[in-house]
Amino acid sequence: MTGHWNHDTHFHPRVLAAIPEGARTALDVGAGNGLLARDLADAGLEVTAIDLDGTVLDAARAEHGSTDVEWVVGDVMTADLGQRFDVVASIATVHHLPDLPAALARLADLTAPGGVLVVVGLAESTRVRDHLLGLVGVVQHRWYSWRRGFWEHSAPTCWPPPHSYPEVEQAVRAVLMGAEYRQHPLWRYSVTWRCPR
């Protein structure tokens, strides 16, 4: 795994731990600086990394190599990727997409039977428990930043997120039957869904 640490790379181990046995292919949605694509390739997967921002993707290609990752400039909602993937992963991306249920459905469609979809996203804090978790996140941020340093990515940001945590959970329950939804400190939630065979 990369030595860069921030609120997004903190969740790379969650993606890597979910890789199904026998998985061969992976799609990194909203690849940005390419760190997750690099980690997936290091795990032995054939990786396709897609992002709308060609400049950021060019920098990722230059830093992480072009031989074992296919870097695709495009919109995951409309791009013809020509296959389904054993692992579909998206970190801090779906809140950039205007229609959350449609985005989740599209990512599910790109997941091969027996494969896994892992989404780590940002949402707006609207409840007391959200703000309490945010306080835990402040402590975590300070601790990890002190221990590991804080790496600032160069990919575009979208703040505040357009959906609240309850809205995200409702969309997940409606679109991804049987998915595991968890809310975390560091202002993130995670979704893990396994595509039926």
Side-chain angles (χ1 to χ4, degrees), residues 2-101:
T2 176
H4 299 76
W5 184 85
N6 63 21
H7 299 169
D8 296 329
T9 63
H10 183 78
F11 291 93
H12 286 198
R14 178 168 290 272
V15 175
L16 299 175
I19 297 173
E21 186 176 348
R24 295 184 307 102
T25 60
L27 175 65
D28 179 9
V29 178
N33 295 101
L35 298 179
L36 180 59
R38 177 75 271 149
D39 284 348
L40 290 166
D42 288 345
L45 300 176
E46 301 168 13
V47 180
T48 300
I50 186 169
D51 199 287
L52 274 174
D53 192 316
T55 301
V56 171
L57 216 56
D58 285 344
R61 182 189 293 110
E63 181 175 355
H64 301 293
S66 59
T67 57
D68 53 357
V69 177
E70 180 183 3
W71 306 93
V72 177
V73 178
D75 182 348
V76 71
M77 297 299 293
T78 57
D80 181 4
L81 297 171
Q83 63 174 310
R84 299 172 79 183
F85 298 85
D86 299 320
V87 178
V88 176
S90 173
I91 294 186
T93 296
V94 297
H95 67 289
H96 289 265
L97 304 174
D99 186 333
L100 179 60

Side-chain angles (χ1 to χ4, degrees), residues 75-145:
D75 182 348
V76 71
M77 297 299 293
T78 57
D80 181 4
L81 297 171
Q83 63 174 310
R84 299 172 79 183
F85 298 85
D86 299 320
V87 178
V88 176
S90 173
I91 294 186
T93 296
V94 297
H95 67 289
H96 289 265
L97 304 174
D99 186 333
L100 179 60
L104 294 174
R106 171 63 172 160
L107 298 186
D109 287 343
L110 288 167
T111 307
V116 66
L117 165 63
V118 182
V119 174
V120 176
L122 292 75
E124 181 184 6
S125 297
T126 57
R127 303 168 298 185
V128 171
R129 71 182 302 266
D130 303 337
H131 293 290
L132 290 175
L133 271 176
L135 292 176
V136 175
V138 170
V139 174
Q140 281 191 341
H141 169 82
R142 290 179 177 172
W143 170 254
Y144 285 116
S145 295

